[in-house]
């Protein structure tokens, strides 16, 4: 069994957050499934309990300061925070960019991660016992996609991760990010179904010729929060089936490969 830590996973009701909640609970940690969709969070908690794990739901909107502060108070002993609450974006051109969508994305993805880190940095420091925070970046933080709100927001999360690691390191709190490639989550399935993402293209652009499973992101998050990663802080770890390597490789003039 694990260390019986209290672990808070925002966005824990779905996708990467759900897989992360299941991963920590399976290793013996107590998980707070914090989400704006408490109904779906209840289902994750039921799944964890059916497997003999411990979890509870917390209804939170990470875009709201008071809501995040209430979460941090309710989970005051948390040693691990995973900021997985987030929104994806449909591709657009700058001329037609919807600024309401832009602002909501920044409010949830970037500002929500910052707010949660601030709230839990306070409770972790007050406990004096160190801790671990993991943010969710994206390959769109380091490569150009037609996602004018989402990509820059993820680049900001990478920068924030390094800043927080420096800020909180002396208090024994490590801060890292995972940088997922294309992950088959509910949001991604919906975008494939509506024609906004091409699954064949996403598979062929990766070295391993496939997309990433949510559980594979969860494994990387679990590692970053484990003692095995005790000297790792301030990094954004790609978990992308080799997308970052392969996407430029296969573009090289004269490349005759089939994938
Ligand atoms: N799916 C991918 O391919 C992919 C790739 C790179 C990065 N990511 C990132 O992973 C994170 C999780 O995305 P996912 O694909 O698992 O999506 P998802 O929709 O499956 O899960 C997101 C969860 O966040 C919750 N949520 C949304 N807004 C919230 C708010 N204001 N407060 C609290 N909870 C809120 C949703 O209810 C949902 O349960 C996001 O930051 C996303 O940008 C996803």
């Amino acid at each position: 069994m694990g260390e019986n830590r209290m672990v808070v996973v925002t966005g824990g009701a779905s996708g990467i957050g759900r897989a992360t909640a299941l991963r920590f609970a399976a290793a013996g940690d107590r998980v707070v499934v914090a989400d704006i969709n408490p109904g779906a969070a209840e289902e994750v908690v039921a799944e964890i309990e059916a497997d003999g794990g411990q979890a509870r739901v917390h209804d939170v909107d990470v875009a709201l300061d008071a809501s995040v502060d209430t979460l941090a108070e309710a989970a005051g002993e948390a040693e691990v925070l995973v900021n997985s609450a987030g929104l994806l974006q449909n591709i657009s051109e700058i001329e037609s960019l919807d600024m309401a969508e832009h602002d909501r994305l920044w409010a949830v993805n970037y500002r929500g991660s910052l707010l949660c880190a601030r709230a839990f940095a306070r409770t972790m420091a007050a406990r004096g016992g160190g801790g671990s925070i993991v943010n969710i970046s994206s390959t769109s933080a380091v490569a150009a996609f037609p996602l004018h709100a989402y990509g820059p927001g993820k680049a900001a999360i990478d920068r924030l991760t390094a800043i927080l690691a420096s800020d909180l390191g002396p208090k024994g709190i490590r801060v890292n990010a995972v940088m997922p490639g294309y992950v088959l989550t509910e949001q991604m399935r919906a975008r494939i179904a509506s024609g906004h993402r091409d699954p064949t293209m996403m598979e062929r652009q990766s070295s391993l010729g496939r997309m990433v499973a949510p559980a594979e992101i969860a494994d990387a998050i679990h590692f970053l929060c484990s003692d095995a990663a005790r000297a790792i802080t301030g990094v954004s770890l790609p978990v992308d089936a080799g997308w970052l390597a392969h996407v430029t490789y296969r573009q090289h003039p004269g490349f005759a490969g089939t994938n």
Side-chain angles (χ1 to χ4, degrees):
M1 291 297 276
E3 300 162 66
N4 196 29
R5 299 171 296 185
M6 181 178 281
V7 174
V8 174
V9 183
T10 73
S14 175
I16 291 170
R18 172 181 167 276
T20 302
L22 295 174
R23 178 69 181 81
F24 279 93
D29 290 316
R30 291 167 286 141
V31 180
V32 178
V33 182
D35 204 284
I36 202 169
N37 184 347
E42 289 287 1
E43 289 175 25
V44 175
V45 167
E47 211 175 335
I48 287 171
E49 288 176 343
D51 282 344
Q54 297 180 68
R56 63 181 165 85
V57 173
H58 189 102
D59 186 357
V60 68
D61 181 348
V62 300
L64 300 177
D65 301 29
S67 183
V68 169
D69 287 342
T70 303
L71 169 65
E73 276 165 34
E77 324 156 39
E79 288 175 59
V80 172
L81 166 69
V82 180
N83 281 316
S84 194
L87 303 170
L88 302 187
Q89 185 186 7
N90 289 330
I91 60 172
S92 74
E93 293 168 343
I94 187 66
E95 294 91 334
S96 53
L97 183 64
D98 177 344
M99 289 311 291
E101 184 188 19
H102 171 281
D103 293 353
R104 181 68 186 160
L105 269 158
W106 273 83
V108 174
N109 292 9
Y110 176 74
R111 192 173 183 280
S113 299
L114 174 62
L115 265 183
C116 290
R118 184 180 72 155
F120 282 92
R122 287 173 179 157
T123 59
M124 287 174 185
R127 279 182 46 258
S132 188
I133 298 174
V134 175
N135 295 318
I136 315 293
S137 175
S138 159
T139 45
S140 63
V142 292
F145 291 87
L147 305 169
H148 301 72
Y150 184 87
K154 292 298 186 181
I157 284 177
D158 281 350
R159 225 34 26 243
L160 176 68
T161 299
I163 291 167
L164 291 175
S166 301
D167 188 354
L168 298 173
K171 292 173 182 157
I173 302 169
R174 296 185 298 105
V175 187
N176 291 294
V178 289
M179 184 182 281
Y182 293 121
V183 186
L184 258 181
T185 60
E186 288 80 347
Q187 285 195 64
M188 184 59 83
R189 285 181 202 282
R191 278 170 166 76
I192 290 170
S194 64
H196 286 97
R197 297 283 195 283
D198 175 353
T200 308
M201 192 177 161
M202 291 189 281
E203 288 162 4
R204 288 187 59 197
Q205 286 179 344
S206 301
S207 308
L208 299 180
R210 64 173 180 86
M211 293 175 73
V212 181
E216 293 172 322
I217 306 295
D219 280 340
I221 294 170
H222 188 263
F223 162 71
L224 288 171
C225 297
S226 74
D227 201 44
R230 61 193 173 278
I232 302 176
T233 194
V235 307
S236 295
L237 175 66
V239 186
D240 65 347
W243 184 88
L244 282 170
H246 195 59
V247 74
T248 48
Y249 180 92
R250 72 196 294 273
Q251 295 302 323
H252 195 278
F255 175 70
T258 49
N259 62 338

